[in-house]
Amino acid sequence: MKKLSALLIAALASVTICVVSATAQANQTLDLTKGVQAVQANADTTQIPTGKWLDEKWNGLWVIEQGGNFKLYKDGELVFDFTGKMKDFKVSGNISSGLTVTFSCDETDRDYTFTKGVSLSKDLELTVNYHGPNEHHKATIKFQN
């Protein structure tokens, strides 16, 4: 009985360590704190995650810079710099659905939605809604190092 109790205690300790480790890794990877802070600060764009994401469907590279500046490249060439051209910029989110950034741009005649779900992945869900008769574009865009 003592051996069984010792094994159970060791197993529980091991599970606790794994959960704490996974939680720390998830917090570091997701950085939901930034998203929550952005929502609380009325879309403080300095809290938006930065990096590069590849849209394999369109062969486009989305670059999000510090301060919430969005740029779109295709085949290595700058296609559009959204800096100063976004309107209706909103950041929303919660612990169950993750972080969502939306904005529209009159020059491109489109609305954009980037969603970072609650997961260990840094990939984003992108939806581009065209204001004209064109098809809408949806893709999972992959985080690039």
Side-chain angles (χ1 to χ4, degrees):
M1 190 65 151
K2 286 183 183 181
K3 278 188 173 183
L4 182 58
S5 294
L7 286 173
L8 285 173
I9 291 170
L12 286 174
S14 176
V15 168
T16 302
I17 289 169
C18 289
V19 169
V20 169
S21 176
T23 302
Q25 182 181 6
N27 287 341
Q28 180 182 6
T29 303
L30 292 176
D31 207 355
L32 283 178
T33 305
K34 284 187 175 184
V36 171
Q37 289 171 350
V39 171
Q40 292 171 343
N42 295 322
D44 176 3
T45 57
T46 62
Q47 299 301 317
I48 302 298
T50 58
K52 298 176 183 178
W53 286 265
L54 179 63
D55 180 345
E56 293 175 344
K57 279 184 163 179
W58 194 70
N59 196 30
L61 184 69
W62 286 91
V63 177
I64 305 174
E65 299 173 335
Q66 190 164 4
N69 297 323
F70 287 69
K71 293 181 180 176
L72 177 59
Y73 295 82
K74 184 171 177 123
D75 300 322
E77 298 290 324
L78 180 64
V79 174
F80 198 80
D81 183 350
F82 291 87
T83 306
K85 300 171 185 161
M86 295 182 283
K87 68 177 198 175
D88 302 323
F89 190 90
K90 294 179 185 151
V91 179
S92 61
N94 61 53
I95 199 68
S96 62
S97 64
L99 175 70
T100 299
V101 175
T102 60
F103 62 88
S104 61
C105 178
D106 289 337
E107 288 186 41
T108 62
D109 202 27
R110 292 167 174 83
D111 300 321
Y112 301 87
T113 302
F114 296 83
T115 302
K116 169 60 186 94
V118 180
S119 72
L120 294 177
S121 170
K122 291 185 178 182
D123 298 343
L124 303 175
E125 295 300 319
L126 168 67
T127 303
V128 180
N129 293 315
Y130 301 93
H131 295 168
N134 293 331
E135 294 288 321
H136 301 303
H137 177 72
K138 288 187 177 191
T140 299
I141 55 178
K142 307 281 185 186
F143 181 75
Q144 306 296 294
N145 291 333

